[in-house]
Amino acid sequence: MKQGEDYSKHRESADEELIARFQQGDNYAFDLLVIRYKDPLLNYVFRFLGDRTDAEDIVQETFYRLYKNKHYYKEIAKFSTWIYTIAGNLAKTELRKRKRRNLFSINYYMSTDKDYDLPDDQTSPEKDANTIITDDIIQQSVDKLSPKFKQVIILRDIQGFSYEEISDIIKIPLGTVKSRVNRARLKLQEDLKYLMKDIT
Amino acid sequence: MNPCATVQKYLSSYLDQSLDPQLRQEIDSHIQECPECAKILQDLKFLTSRLKNVQTLQASDSFEKNLRQRIIDNTATKEENNPLKTFSYGLSAAAILVAVYFFINTNPTTPSDNIISPAPSKSSIMDARMSEEITTNPDLDKETNTQMAVDDSIESKRLTDEEQREINLVDQ
């Protein structure tokens, strides 16, 4: 069978079906999982680390771990939560490494106190809010959160996971997820409220 | 507890519409009277909507190619550095040697054994003599036995000391 036919045959398959096929030796199923998850995972890890190159490296490592440890997956869990757990753990490890490196770097003390680009004084309240609170500003504010708050806000508000799914990914109780999401949102609001006074 | 703090604790669930109707109603009433909490709720609505619409990235064109290379490289490195594999080769070789040894020493007599018999070793001659001596002198007295045991012990101690010295020398 041609590769293209295989791709079209499996394109609509559920993740769990693809991982099952991959576990049985079908490498096309692995390719499809990579195609399906590389961008969502890249965005997740990028928002976590704030660096595209590092994020791509972490996502590659995530897929390599999937390739190497495919038999560890059991169908009791959703594939998406499993792969996000792997990526999240790798991203957190990377953050810890950075923290250790930065403890000995003068830049650490400066980087924790980043400045925003202030909006133009001529900005009118009617101006599109998205041009005032840019993606960079959002990212800088997310970066200020501690990893446990950062992770839940990315999964909930950027990636759109349900509280239950987040609970499965991070392996913490549902109530803790809800509480962390609430606190993370309030921290962001506190951090950015001076930019939102005219636009909301 | 400060009513604002209590309300703010539930603002996320309020936004996600996952509160029970009674609590939702209480928060609604508070927000109508409290401009500070109303502003926070408004900001949170904006922020959650803004976060949903952050620009998404796409993986680079070389992503799959790099991934394939990573898999190949890591698999190759793992095989090269696999100590278990080296150990298994050594174990196999040892097993073959042991098998050959037992084959040579325990092979049942065949016509060819009658033609070529193995030369007796020094130790087998000694064993035979000792065995003969024991069988020919069944009344070997206790005293002799004790003396032999002491001699063996001294000889054994000397050998152990020599071996130990050799090991120490090697280590030094």
Side-chain angles (χ1 to χ4, degrees):
Chain A
M1 186 184 283
K2 297 280 183 296
Q3 187 171 323
E5 289 174 32
D6 256 357
Y7 280 141
S8 58
K9 182 182 162 193
H10 297 320
R11 193 163 290 142
E12 301 305 321
S13 302
D15 296 341
E16 288 69 27
E17 192 183 330
L18 289 176
I19 183 69
R21 284 174 182 275
F22 176 46
Q23 286 173 330
Q24 288 159 11
D26 179 356
N27 282 346
Y28 291 144
F30 174 72
D31 290 349
L32 280 176
L33 287 169
V34 172
I35 290 168
R36 193 173 285 182
Y37 278 95
K38 62 179 179 176
D39 288 342
L41 286 178
L42 178 69
N43 283 283
Y44 171 49
V45 179
F46 171 71
R47 295 293 161 199
F48 216 100
L49 301 178
D51 181 285
R52 193 202 158 95
T53 310
D54 285 351
E56 193 147 321
D57 188 56
I58 294 286
V59 178
Q60 291 236 344
E61 184 63 19
T62 303
F63 284 120
Y64 169 65
R65 301 274 174 110
L66 163 64
Y67 185 88
K68 195 176 66 168
N69 303 316
K70 60 185 171 188
H71 292 295
Y72 284 108
Y73 172 77
K74 305 284 176 223
E75 216 179 331
I76 47 170
K78 275 178 76 176
F79 175 78
S80 59
T81 58
W82 189 65
I83 195 87
Y84 267 83
T85 304
I86 298 172
N89 288 342
L90 289 170
K92 275 193 274 188
T93 305
E94 174 61 24
L95 274 186
R96 277 196 291 272
K97 279 185 200 165
R98 282 186 188 181
K99 199 175 173 186
R100 275 201 297 272
R101 280 199 298 265
N102 288 337
L103 274 177
F104 301 99
S105 160
I106 195 166
N107 291 333
Y108 173 72
Y109 299 99
M110 297 163 76
S111 66
T112 53
D113 205 16
K114 284 178 182 168
D115 290 329
Y116 295 146
D117 293 328
L118 288 171
D120 190 345
D121 286 343
Q122 302 300 315
T123 302
S124 67
E126 295 77 27
K127 193 171 176 181
D128 181 11
N130 290 347
T131 62
I132 297 170
I133 300 187
T134 61
D135 280 4
D136 282 347
I137 289 176
I138 293 273
Q139 184 62 46
Q140 285 170 13
S141 194
V142 169
D143 279 344
K144 284 183 177 179
L145 298 172
S146 65
K148 67 179 186 180
F149 292 126
K150 192 188 281 193
Q151 191 173 25
V152 291
I153 201 92
I154 296 169
L155 288 169
R156 176 66 190 154
D157 287 336
I158 300 180
Q159 300 270 312
F161 282 99
S162 69
Y163 288 115
E164 288 78 8
E165 286 170 324
I166 296 171
S167 169
D168 287 341
I169 290 170
I170 312 182
K171 320 282 185 217
I172 56 172
L174 188 59
T176 312
V177 175
K178 287 183 178 180
S179 160
R180 279 190 192 175
V181 169
N182 190 55
R183 288 175 68 191
R185 283 173 175 171
L186 289 172
K187 278 172 187 284
L188 282 187
Q189 187 271 338
E190 178 66 27
D191 197 33
L192 297 173
K193 66 181 178 188
Y194 77 103
L195 289 174
M196 292 190 285
K197 63 184 177 193
D198 293 327
I199 57 175
T200 56
Chain B
M1 196 183 207
N2 175 5
C4 289
T6 311
V7 165
Q8 285 167 25
K9 201 173 145 188
Y10 292 105
L11 283 182
S12 258
S13 302
Y14 180 91
L15 273 180
D16 294 327
Q17 303 190 330
S18 57
L19 283 181
D20 67 73
Q22 193 186 344
L23 190 52
R24 189 173 181 85
Q25 205 173 1
E26 285 174 27
I27 289 175
D28 276 332
S29 323
H30 176 82
I31 283 169
Q32 280 174 358
E33 296 164 6
C34 176
E36 192 190 338
C37 286
K39 174 70 171 102
I40 292 173
L41 180 64
Q42 208 175 11
D43 285 354
L44 289 182
K45 272 182 191 167
F46 170 79
L47 273 177
T48 49
S49 156
R50 182 69 189 80
L51 285 166
K52 275 192 188 82
N53 295 309
V54 289
Q55 193 184 5
T56 52
L57 300 177
Q58 288 195 321
S60 63
D61 293 339
S62 58
F63 185 90
E64 277 100 332
K65 187 181 149 209
N66 294 340
L67 175 60
R68 201 165 294 122
Q69 195 57 48
R70 180 184 288 241
I71 290 170
I72 291 166
D73 290 348
N74 282 336
T75 310
T77 311
K78 202 179 166 188
E79 279 184 8
E80 275 170 20
N81 297 333
N82 189 354
L84 277 177
K85 203 169 181 180
T86 314
F87 177 70
S88 70
Y89 286 145
L91 204 63
S92 305
I96 291 168
L97 283 173
V98 169
V100 168
Y101 174 81
F102 277 109
F103 178 77
I104 290 167
N105 288 285
T106 60
N107 200 19
T109 309
T110 59
S112 62
D113 289 332
N114 297 329
I115 301 166
I116 307 167
S117 57
S121 64
K122 192 180 171 187
S123 63
S124 65
I125 293 168
M126 291 282 285
D127 289 348
R129 281 183 185 169
M130 281 177 76
S131 164
E132 194 182 319
E133 194 173 293
I134 289 166
T135 47
T136 52
N137 299 295
D139 299 327
L140 203 63
D141 61 4
K142 257 187 183 175
E143 197 180 322
T144 313
N145 272 340
T146 311
Q147 186 56 45
M148 282 171 72
V150 170
D151 289 348
D152 283 350
S153 173
I154 291 166
E155 177 66 8
S156 157
K157 178 77 168 54
R158 191 180 61 78
L159 283 173
T160 313
D161 288 347
E162 276 176 9
E163 282 165 8
Q164 189 63 46
R165 273 202 296 277
E166 277 175 21
I167 292 165
N168 288 338
L169 283 170
V170 171
D171 283 343
Q172 283 160 8

